Amino acid sequence: MSITIKILKVFIYVASIACCFFIIILSPIIKIRFGLLPSERIGEVALRTEIYLMNKKFKSTKVKFIDFFVCTHIIANKTLIDLIKKKLLILPTLIGYPTYHLLKILSYKISFFKKFIITIHAKDYKHLFSKTENSLDLDISFIKKGEEFLNKLRINKNSKIICLIVRDDNYLKSKFPEKDWEYQNHRDCSISNYKLAVMYAIEQGYYVFHMGDKPKNYLNLKNKKFIQYARDYRTDFLDVYLAYKCEFCITMGTGWDILPAYNFRKPIVWTNLVPVGDAVSFSHKFIFAPKLYFCNQKKRYLSLKEIKDLDISFKNKSKDFRELNLSLVENSPIEIKDMTKEMINILNNEAEYTQQDKDRQEKLLKLYDEYFSYKWGNNMNQFSRISKNFIQKNQFLVEN
């Protein structure tokens, strides 16, 4: 770091003290708040932005706020940040972060300063998702640019597209090599388990784009309707455009999928969700299936109640499962294909559910409500459903 930059940083931090004093003086008239956007992770910044904007639409307080945001020093997707800037007041990090940082430190020490910090939760606790439209606006030029990309691939702009993304540890290792990411390895999945689902979707007329940034493995499938996007075409712009364009997304909860799920309100097939208590439940457009918890000592899978009783419903570190001698078992290729088929049937208004299917669904959702505090109340039909064939096959999950 040059001497000039160091001097500039010192000056800005000194100026931030004066800025904080100014904010306090103005607070009886108008409240100025600062918030941090975790821009180094696309899912985090997309999620927290959408939740903030949803809550802002329903805010009933008459107190006037001016909210400023700052990004972290790494930007995972510049196109997304440019779109967010149309909705939020984002200061340059070099200028805004020192003031945010100082207010945040003070808020830890003195409760008075908490009112100057914007706290954005990572969950839709108020169930606003189903009551709001997506907040990100894509103009005509943005959409046309995306259609030009599809045209280069000889894909008609009206063609049906599915986005597939499967987590591995390669992105984080390459992006943040100084950090040990082993604690999240239990979330990784095998891309090969998705091949049957991809082939089925292609048979139904869909183009399937394999999303991701520097994935470790690629699906060995040669078909003109299967696009190796992560390997051959990936850009910040197209990550956002394809999230907007797709009919639905097949994922297992990895970050980018927040864009189609939250920001563009797309149907989602959530496979291999873990932890089991943290199911993505905020939209009736979602189908999900968790990874199964296999107890190596008992030589069998655990029910939801057993998982709750072991206090691992929301545990999210690999060592938590190792210490209890548990193995997490991925959804099978057939299960993932069945989930994909169910979603396509739903979108085509061809899904059929017997009374037994409905009863199983209701029983399982009530257990989620009881064990994991989802607080669905009488609005259970507004939330996501577990895969029909998955719950039929794995009835042990609802056993006591």
Side-chain angles (χ1 to χ4, degrees):
M1 187 184 297
S2 68
I3 296 296
T4 304
I5 295 296
K6 287 182 179 179
I7 294 173
L8 179 61
K9 281 194 170 185
V10 171
F11 173 78
I12 292 173
Y13 267 89
V14 171
S16 70
I17 298 174
C19 184
C20 289
F21 181 75
F22 180 71
I23 289 170
I24 294 169
I25 295 296
L26 278 181
S27 61
I29 304 169
I30 188 166
K31 287 194 167 48
I32 298 174
R33 304 188 301 177
F34 278 73
L36 181 68
L37 294 177
S39 55
E40 73 276 8
R41 303 286 293 273
I42 187 172
E44 286 290 325
V45 68
L47 175 64
R48 294 178 189 273
T49 297
E50 191 67 24
I51 288 179
Y52 168 82
L53 291 171
M54 287 194 302
N55 280 276
K56 186 177 180 181
K57 290 177 184 178
F58 281 83
K59 211 165 189 65
S60 58
T61 179
K62 295 182 180 179
V63 178
K64 290 184 179 180
F65 289 99
I66 297 179
D67 287 346
F68 291 102
F69 292 87
V70 293
C71 294
T72 46
H73 294 284
I74 297 175
I75 305 295
N77 188 295
K78 293 181 180 179
T79 300
L80 177 61
I81 295 300
D82 287 342
L83 290 172
I84 293 173
K85 284 180 178 177
K86 296 179 181 180
K87 298 290 183 177
L88 305 180
L89 295 172
I90 300 180
L91 297 174
T93 302
L94 182 63
I95 295 173
Y97 186 80
T99 300
Y100 163 79
H101 192 207
L102 180 57
L103 287 171
K104 188 68 174 178
I105 291 173
L106 290 171
S107 72
Y108 290 140
K109 305 290 184 181
I110 308 170
S111 60
F112 169 79
F113 287 94
K114 290 181 180 179
K115 62 184 177 182
F116 302 113
I117 295 295
I118 305 166
T119 301
I120 309 175
H121 296 292
K123 290 187 179 181
D124 179 21
Y125 289 110
K126 297 181 181 179
H127 298 163
L128 300 179
F129 185 86
S130 60
K131 302 174 185 177
T132 56
E133 300 294 327
N134 53 288
S135 300
L136 294 185
D137 299 322
L138 305 186
D139 58 30
I140 294 176
S141 62
F142 190 104
I143 295 171
K144 187 172 181 179
K145 181 180 176 181
E147 291 174 348
E148 289 172 355
F149 163 73
L150 294 179
N151 187 53
K152 290 179 181 178
L153 298 183
R154 298 184 179 181
I155 299 175
N156 187 282
K157 66 179 182 180
N158 297 318
S159 296
K160 296 182 293 183
I161 289 172
I162 295 172
C163 289
L164 166 70
I165 187 164
V166 181
R167 186 190 189 279
D168 60 46
D169 61 1
N170 213 43
Y171 170 76
L172 291 176
K173 282 184 175 180
S174 62
K175 200 78 171 180
F176 309 100
E178 73 286 352
K179 187 170 181 179
D180 182 8
W181 294 100
E182 187 276 337
Y183 77 97
Q184 288 194 0
N185 284 354
H186 65 282
R187 296 175 57 203
D188 294 346
C189 294
S190 173
I191 184 69
S192 62
N193 286 342
Y194 292 77
K195 187 172 183 177
L196 286 182
V198 171
M199 292 172 63
Y200 176 80
I202 288 173
E203 290 170 1
Q204 303 306 306
Y206 289 85
Y207 286 88
V208 181
F209 282 68
H210 179 196
M211 309 297 293
D213 188 358
K214 304 178 179 68
K216 183 184 294 184
N217 298 304
Y218 296 91
L219 194 58
N220 184 21
L221 177 62
K222 293 184 179 180
N223 189 295
K224 67 178 182 179
K225 288 194 171 184
F226 179 64
I227 313 299
Q228 295 281 14
Y229 166 81
R231 186 188 66 194
D232 300 331
Y233 304 106
R234 201 236 138 234
T235 66
D236 284 5
F237 168 80
L238 290 173
D239 272 0
V240 177
Y241 173 74
L242 290 170
Y244 155 82
K245 175 63 178 174
C246 69
E247 298 288 319
F248 68 95
C249 173
I250 304 171
T251 182
M252 34 61 61
T254 182
W256 171 86
D257 42 38
I258 293 296
L259 277 170
Y262 257 101
N263 302 105
F264 295 116
R265 304 298 199 272
K266 297 294 183 175
I268 306 291
V269 174
W270 297 98
T271 65
N272 290 303
L273 280 178
V274 63
V276 69
D278 202 21
V280 187
S281 61
F282 46 78
S283 174
H284 67 281
K285 296 180 179 181
F286 299 165
I287 298 173
F288 74 92
K291 284 188 176 183
L292 298 177
Y293 290 39
F294 186 82
C295 179
N296 295 302
Q297 183 178 1
K298 296 180 179 180
K299 305 296 183 185
R300 64 172 177 82
Y301 294 107
L302 300 182
S303 68
L304 293 180
K305 185 177 186 305
E306 289 174 315
I307 293 170
K308 175 187 75 77
D309 290 343
L310 284 172
D311 193 28
I312 53 171
S313 306
F314 297 94
K315 298 291 186 182
N316 206 11
K317 292 184 179 179
S318 298
K319 70 180 181 67
D320 295 326
F321 304 102
R322 288 198 305 269
E323 289 172 354
L324 291 169
N325 198 16
L326 298 178
S327 298
L328 295 179
V329 180
E330 294 185 39
N331 303 154
S332 71
I334 292 294
E335 288 170 338
I336 297 171
K337 176 188 173 182
D338 286 345
M339 292 175 70
T340 303
K341 182 178 181 180
E342 185 176 357
M343 177 60 78
I344 290 174
N345 286 340
I346 291 172
L347 295 179
N348 292 334
N349 295 315
E350 296 174 353
E352 295 181 358
Y353 298 101
T354 65
Q355 187 58 48
Q356 189 177 37
D357 292 330
K358 295 175 183 178
D359 291 342
R360 286 173 177 151
Q361 192 73 209
E362 184 176 356
K363 183 178 181 180
L364 182 128
L365 292 181
K366 283 182 177 178
L367 290 180
Y368 261 85
D369 204 11
E370 176 184 351
Y371 296 158
F372 312 132
S373 301
Y374 274 75
K375 300 179 181 178
W376 282 323
N378 296 321
N379 299 317
M380 201 174 292
N381 62 342
Q382 294 182 11
F383 296 86
S384 54
R385 61 180 296 116
I386 196 165
S387 165
K388 176 179 73 171
N389 288 352
F390 182 85
I391 189 57
Q392 179 181 348
K393 176 184 175 183
N394 300 298
Q395 273 293 290
F396 61 83
L397 285 169
V398 299
E399 294 173 355
N400 293 325

